[in-house]
């Protein structure tokens, strides 16, 4: 299945596919929406939940990694590269 195939599905089938096969990655807030990011079959899915109505507003799929920037900004990688204050970087 491609993201184009997924986008052609009705909303109920999309939600079923997400529940059965997608991997949850992370969540962010976008205005009055909570947006959940999933990975499925090599593409990504965003599910928008209306926080006022507590209901799904829409679901969209994409395979362009540039659309992940909002999520990538939230990942703290500082612990992967510990700073050693005893080591001089000047040579």
């Amino acid at each position: 299945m491609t993201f184009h195939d997924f986008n052609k599905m009705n909303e109920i089938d999309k939600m079923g596919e997400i529940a059965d096969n997608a991997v949850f990655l992370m969540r962010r807030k976008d205005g009055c929406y909570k947006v959940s990011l999933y990975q499925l079959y090599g593409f990504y899915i965003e599910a928008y939940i209306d926080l006022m109505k507590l209901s799904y507003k829409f679901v969209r799929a994409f395979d362009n990694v540039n659309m992940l920037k909002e999520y990538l900004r939230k990942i703290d990688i500082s612990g992967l590269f510990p700073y050693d204050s005893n080591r001089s970087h000047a040579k």
Side-chain angles (χ1 to χ4, degrees):
M1 176 184 298
T2 68
F3 74 96
H4 294 293
D5 298 329
F6 180 86
N7 282 334
K8 291 177 187 174
M9 297 168 68
N10 66 52
E11 294 301 308
I12 293 172
D13 290 342
K14 286 178 183 178
M15 297 312 296
E17 191 67 32
I18 291 169
D20 293 343
N21 299 307
V23 176
F24 172 77
L25 299 176
M26 64 188 312
R27 193 170 280 127
R28 66 181 174 90
K29 190 170 180 199
D30 184 6
C32 64
Y33 298 106
K34 180 170 60 172
V35 186
S36 296
L37 178 68
Y38 300 89
Q39 189 275 327
L40 177 70
Y41 305 125
F43 59 89
Y44 300 95
I45 299 166
E46 286 184 316
Y48 284 72
I49 300 169
D50 186 323
L51 294 173
M52 303 297 262
K53 298 178 182 175
L54 296 177
S55 63
Y56 280 99
K57 184 68 174 175
F58 64 92
V59 176
R60 71 175 180 156
F62 57 91
D63 66 352
N64 183 342
V65 294
N66 289 326
M67 295 178 70
L68 298 174
K69 287 180 182 177
E70 290 298 316
Y71 299 97
L72 297 175
R73 286 186 189 118
K74 295 178 180 263
I75 299 172
D76 180 8
I77 62 169
S78 62
L80 297 176
F81 305 100
Y83 176 72
D84 184 354
S85 61
N86 295 323
R87 201 163 103 191
S88 172
H89 293 287
K91 290 186 178 187

